[in-house]
Amino acid sequence: MATLDDVRSIAGDLPGSEERATTGGAAWFVRNKLFAWECHPWPSIPEDVRAIVAAELVLGVKVADELDALALREMAPDVFLPQTTGWGEPKIAFRMARIDRDHLTELVVEAWRVQAPKYLQREFDALHA
């Protein structure tokens, strides 16, 4: 089971990553662009999804496009939630209790890549070559 501490550890290794406390919980930014966040059961979220978010830890991340989000939802519908809200697309939300550390790392790093400028991506790639 993945935790917010796992997200902190992964995001902490990403150049330019910054954690901030928001009204909805913890959130991670790169150059003031949101890439990962702790989901909160806002009234704008559909009732069925809001019940899940209220009952367990759910993380949202940016994805490259809606096709990526759709593929993840179809691949593991028990892990990835249906669309939460229309704002901030493309994104995906998932149940932390149902994801392993390796997949969490992949999702957070890819979300960071969606938002990070090219020079920070090159810095990360150089460190992990």
Side-chain angles (χ1 to χ4, degrees), residues 90-111:
K91 65 181 182 291
I92 190 79
F94 54 91
R95 297 169 157 177
M96 292 285 283
R98 297 184 182 187
I99 197 152
D100 64 43
R101 172 72 189 233
D102 289 341
H103 199 184
L104 176 66
T105 300
E106 180 183 336
L107 290 164
V108 171
V109 170
E110 288 308 309

Side-chain angles (χ1 to χ4, degrees), residues 38-118:
E38 183 180 358
C39 293
H40 188 73
W42 300 111
S44 59
I45 296 174
E47 182 71 33
D48 58 334
V49 177
R50 187 171 52 230
I52 294 167
V53 173
E56 59 187 276
L57 179 59
V58 173
L59 194 76
V61 294
K62 295 295 276 184
V63 292
D65 57 45
E66 271 306 308
L67 288 178
D68 285 348
L70 180 62
L72 289 167
R73 285 184 191 108
E74 288 181 355
M75 176 184 72
D78 60 320
V79 176
F80 296 95
L81 302 181
Q83 184 174 6
T84 54
T85 62
W87 62 266
E89 295 296 337
K91 65 181 182 291
I92 190 79
F94 54 91
R95 297 169 157 177
M96 292 285 283
R98 297 184 182 187
I99 197 152
D100 64 43
R101 172 72 189 233
D102 289 341
H103 199 184
L104 176 66
T105 300
E106 180 183 336
L107 290 164
V108 171
V109 170
E110 288 308 309
W112 173 85
R113 282 187 182 283
V114 167
Q115 299 291 56
K118 298 289 184 214

Side-chain angles (χ1 to χ4, degrees), residues 1-8 10 57 96-97 99 101 104:
M1 178 172 106
T3 67
L4 285 180
D5 285 338
D6 292 327
V7 179
R8 286 183 179 99
I10 296 162
L57 179 59
M96 292 285 283
I99 197 152
R101 172 72 189 233
L104 176 66

